[in-house]
Amino acid sequence: MISPLKTCLTGLVAAALLSSAGAQTSSSTPVIGYYKQNLSAGGNLLTAGFVNKSNFQGQATALPTKTGTQLEIPQSAAAWTVNQFNTGVPTSSTHYVEILGDGTPSHAGAVLDIISNGTNSVTVLVPASFVVGATAPTYVIRKHSTIQDIFPAGSGLQPFEDLVSIFSDTGVETILQLNATNNWENLNTSAPSNDLVVYPGQGVVVSAGDSRVVTIGGGSLSYVKTTPTRISAFTAPLGVPNIMCRINPLVGNAPTDSSLVSSFNFVGSLAEYEDSVAVLSTDGNLNVLQLYSVQGGVLVDESGNPVPPTATIPNGSGVIVSIGSTPASIPTPGVVVP
């Protein structure tokens, strides 16, 4: 899928809404709080390196029950308030369940939207093809990160000048801007958008009018995620960009901090000869540094050469994953940074 990927990138470049940037961070303690990110004038690709705190973590008291695309996880004696994990935004989930383990390796790290909860159970959305694991799942419940969590009060971005683009799984692009009161709104409709959800590992595109240093996180979005994350990727018949970034507390104080390409686990997650990964430059020029695909069980570059074990992707940078005909789910590490 190399050519469709180039087509997708060309369209984004023309819109001046795609690139990546170096990163800085303030600490590496269990609760970091926030970190600084350097942005270039023009497009920048980034995500939050942190998550909200855990509202619950434990093992279900029995196997879940699946009905269609709904999975009910029983938790006897939880004594939750009805729908305490799905309030505030009527049209979307506010919290999610992350599966830590259920006997099925491919489920570990899955992020599942909560649609309701009872006093002793929580119900999530799953694909129709989802098969209940062999063991009662161990899981964690967290509040979703929102655009306001990631960039509280703008965090250095400028009202009416800098834009943030978020792409849905169907290719719909939502463009946000800050208003005069530093609240996020939809650029096209002016609808309030502080609560727009950004999923773990989902990259957003920041179009900056000038070079910026922005603060990411702080407040509730200040917790280090130490478990793997399974990031959903979608087919792209309309050029849907699967923008993905590492989830980790970005370490060090230099833009050259990086992580091994092998730590993204593309081999085994991407379809051979069909899916591809683009690694972008961090200079704001939107250059594609490398195009990777899986061939014969090995990650190779565009020339078919095996990717060296020392190959890296800069922390704070994202990749574009182009999926062929079969949706994929990419597991990426948490805080493990080589």
Side-chain angles (χ1 to χ4, degrees):
M1 292 285 296
I2 299 299
S3 296
L5 175 58
K6 287 183 176 177
T7 300
C8 172
L9 286 173
T10 300
L12 288 171
V13 170
L17 284 173
L18 188 58
S19 75
S20 56
Q24 294 182 338
T25 181
S26 58
S27 175
S28 59
T29 54
V31 179
I32 293 181
Y34 65 90
Y35 60 91
K36 302 290 186 179
Q37 186 99 5
N38 299 320
L39 303 183
S40 302
N44 299 269
L45 193 157
L46 67 158
T47 193
F50 309 125
V51 294
N52 286 302
K53 69 179 181 179
S54 169
N55 296 113
F56 172 86
Q57 182 169 335
Q59 185 171 25
T61 49
L63 288 176
T65 301
K66 179 174 178 286
T67 304
T69 58
Q70 297 187 13
L71 186 75
E72 183 177 7
I73 303 172
Q75 197 65 53
S76 298
W80 291 321
T81 301
V82 173
N83 284 339
Q84 76 177 74
F85 300 128
N86 191 29
T87 58
V89 185
T91 58
S92 65
S93 177
T94 60
H95 291 68
Y96 64 91
V97 160
E98 178 191 338
I99 301 296
L100 303 179
D102 66 354
T104 301
S106 62
H107 290 174
V111 173
L112 307 173
D113 283 334
I114 294 175
I115 56 175
S116 66
N117 73 269
T119 55
N120 300 309
S121 67
V122 58
T123 301
V124 298
L125 284 176
V126 294
S129 59
F130 184 93
V131 177
V132 175
T135 61
T138 300
Y139 65 101
V140 60
I141 294 176
R142 286 193 182 93
K143 178 184 175 294
H144 272 301
S145 301
T146 66
I147 196 67
Q148 181 72 347
D149 293 332
I150 298 173
F151 303 112
S155 301
L157 296 174
Q158 297 303 303
F160 306 112
E161 183 175 354
D162 302 333
L163 303 175
V164 176
S165 287
I166 300 176
F167 294 87
S168 74
D169 58 340
T170 58
V172 175
E173 179 185 13
T174 300
I175 304 177
L176 307 175
Q177 68 175 359
L178 286 166
N179 60 23
T181 58
N182 279 324
N183 286 295
W184 290 98
E185 62 181 31
N186 188 298
L187 176 67
N188 297 317
T189 67
S190 298
S193 301
N194 282 347
D195 293 326
L196 189 65
V197 166
V198 180
Y199 285 84
Q202 178 185 12
V204 302
V205 183
V206 179
S207 182
D210 201 349
S211 58
R212 313 272 189 225
V213 178
V214 297
T215 301
I216 296 180
S220 63
L221 192 70
S222 58
Y223 290 78
V224 175
K225 187 178 185 302
T226 59
T227 54
T229 301
R230 188 165 293 274
I231 304 172
S232 294
F234 304 94
T235 55
L238 301 176
V240 179
N242 289 293
I243 305 172
M244 300 181 182
C245 303
R246 279 184 67 91
I247 302 175
N248 56 271
L250 308 175
V251 297
N253 293 305
T256 55
D257 294 329
S258 57
S259 304
L260 291 176
V261 172
S262 59
S263 70
F264 280 76
N265 299 314
F266 293 129
V267 176
S269 298
L270 296 178
E272 294 201 4
Y273 305 97
E274 186 175 4
D275 304 335
S276 56
V277 179
V279 180
L280 307 178
S281 67
T282 60
D283 57 6
N285 290 323
L286 310 179
N287 294 325
V288 177
L289 298 179
Q290 296 289 346
L291 285 174
Y292 297 139
S293 61
V294 180
Q295 298 180 18
V298 177
L299 193 66
V300 300
D301 61 22
E302 194 170 12
S303 298
N305 300 314
V307 177
T310 55
T312 59
I313 295 175
N315 288 341
S317 175
V319 297
I320 303 292
V321 177
S322 180
I323 300 299
S325 59
T326 306
S329 187
I330 314 292
T332 66
V335 299
V336 180
V337 179

